[in-house]
Amino acid sequence: MENLPKDPVMLMSVINTWLRDEYATLDQLCEDRAIDREKLTDILSAAGFDYMPEINQFR
């Protein structure tokens, strides 16, 4: 996660772009990009964003 934005809003934007353009699920994204899913969701959840699998986005 060291190469990802530290700002949670920017991080959400990057992740959502990848989810929209390249990955069918958050699990695929995390596995492919070697991102700790729990850490990612904790950071974004603390900023008020939750993963919504039905739309494959954080909101």
Side-chain angles (χ1 to χ4, degrees), residues 12-43:
M12 182 203 59
S13 179
V14 168
I15 297 297
N16 277 347
T17 298
W18 285 339
L19 287 169
R20 181 189 68 226
D21 295 345
E22 300 178 36
Y23 298 98
T25 68
L26 181 59
D27 288 331
Q28 288 175 349
L29 183 153
C30 290
E31 183 178 327
D32 189 54
R33 296 196 177 254
I35 295 172
D36 182 322
R37 186 186 197 279
E38 185 174 347
K39 185 175 180 180
L40 174 66
T41 56
D42 286 349
I43 290 168

